Each structure stands twice: as structure tokens, then as C-alpha cells.
Amino acid sequence: MPRDALVVVDMQVGLLDGLPKHDLADVVRRINAVAAFVRGQGGTVVWIRHCGKAGDGFARHEPGWAFLPELDRQPADLEIEKTLNDAFAGTALHETLQRLATECVVIAGWATDSCVDSTLRSAVSRDYHVVAVSDAHTLSDRPHLEAPAVIRHHNWVWSDLLTNRSIRVVTTDELLADQR
């Protein structure tokens, strides 16, 4: 039986460095709610961990490499390490999702315009149904655009991607109300 998988991108302590991330506490709360929902529907939660280089705040086994402690991670959840923006590139993510008979990939995390965007587009190109949780991804203000505008822009772009399957951009509340 096909199942959903929630892919949570790079929600690690290292993201606390630099400028504040937009609505971070509520984004974490929403990710936890979506994770509980997906698990309750028989799906899998996959935590993507960025493994950076020495000195970039995300080097393996350095403090920034750890997941944010506020995240509700469970023993049955999976972890996949990545070194590039796209969580599918050079990782076992696609093979893992295939083994789990995943048809729909639900995506949340950090950073909207980089790793979340790359991972979402890669899921589309691999013919998954994709759900972008519009209020469960974050980033900091950019020099040319404030974070809420970047988030709105990406939610709009994602809603109109060309796909062989489907793409939906929904709020956490809309997703949780969807009793498939």
C-alpha cells in the first residue's frame, strides 16, 4: 500500500547562526504536527541532515550538525545525510522512498529558497506526488527581499510547477484536515 513520507530538510542547530529565521518556533511546532499526522496515517518521517565542511557550522559531529532539540523525532523515523542542497543528490533518499512504496512526498524545513526548493523540485522530477507545507518552511531575510516575501514567492512558484503527478501547496491546518 502506498504511503506518504514527510521529508524534513536541514532543521539543525546550525541554522540558528546568522540572521533569525522567520517564524522558527511556529515552523518547528507545525513540522511536529505534520510529523505526527504522517505517522498516524502510516507514513514515514525522514529527517534530512546537512553534513557540511569544517568551519561551516554543519560539520559532522559539531554542535550545529545536531537536529534542533524541539523537534519531535521518533525511533521509527529515518535519517538521511546530504552534502548538497538537493536531498536526493548523492543520497539514498529516492531508493529509501521507493523501498517504502512512497507515492507522495510532503516537504518542510530550512531553507526555503535553497535546500527546500532543490529537494521539492527533485521530488517532482522523480514523479512523486508532492505536497509543500506552505507554513512549515523558513529562512532568514535576504539582502534584497524579506523572508515572508521569499516564502510567498516560492509557495506561488511551487503551486504551478509542471509535473507528471500532482503538486499541492497547503497550510499545516489544511493538511491536517485532509483525512485521506
Side-chain angles (χ1 to χ4, degrees):
M1 175 176 177
R3 299 186 301 176
D4 291 351
L6 170 62
V7 174
V8 182
V9 180
D10 299 350
M11 293 297 290
Q12 296 162 249
V13 173
L15 73 81
L16 299 174
D17 293 340
L19 296 171
K21 305 320 177 256
H22 175 71
D23 198 26
L24 182 59
D26 284 335
V27 167
V28 168
R29 181 184 56 75
R30 290 182 201 107
I31 287 171
N32 287 338
V34 173
F37 175 77
V38 168
R39 290 184 200 107
Q41 299 291 315
T44 303
V45 177
V46 181
W47 300 95
I48 304 299
R49 183 193 307 265
H50 184 73
C51 298
K53 298 177 178 132
D56 75 0
F58 291 91
R60 278 186 176 87
H61 309 294
E62 294 295 325
W65 184 73
F67 288 107
L68 292 170
E70 302 86 358
L71 294 167
D72 179 22
R73 295 175 47 247
Q74 298 295 312
D77 295 348
L78 304 176
E79 291 180 17
I80 293 186
E81 294 185 351
K82 70 175 185 60
T83 58
L84 301 171
N85 293 335
D86 178 357
F88 286 94
T91 73
L93 180 57
H94 181 61
E95 292 78 12
T96 300
L97 296 175
Q98 292 293 293
R99 182 176 43 78
L100 295 170
T102 302
E103 280 198 13
C104 182
V105 177
V106 180
I107 299 180
W110 175 73
T112 301
D113 58 348
S114 182
C115 298
V116 174
D117 182 61
S118 297
T119 300
L120 184 144
R121 289 170 185 268
S122 202
V124 167
S125 71
R126 285 172 171 78
D127 285 332
Y128 291 102
H129 293 287
V130 175
V131 174
V133 187
S134 65
D135 56 359
H137 56 91
T138 188
L139 73 160
S140 55
D141 290 344
R142 299 306 189 215
H144 62 289
L145 207 54
E146 292 181 357
V150 176
I151 291 167
R152 280 192 312 275
H153 173 76
H154 278 78
N155 286 334
W156 174 79
V157 168
W158 296 336
S159 70
D160 201 32
L161 289 177
L162 299 176
T163 175
N164 293 322
R165 304 295 289 279
S166 67
I167 184 149
R168 295 181 349 173
V169 179
V170 298
T171 65
T172 299
D173 288 343
E174 290 167 336
L175 181 66
L176 299 182
D178 184 8
Q179 301 296 318
R180 289 179 255 171

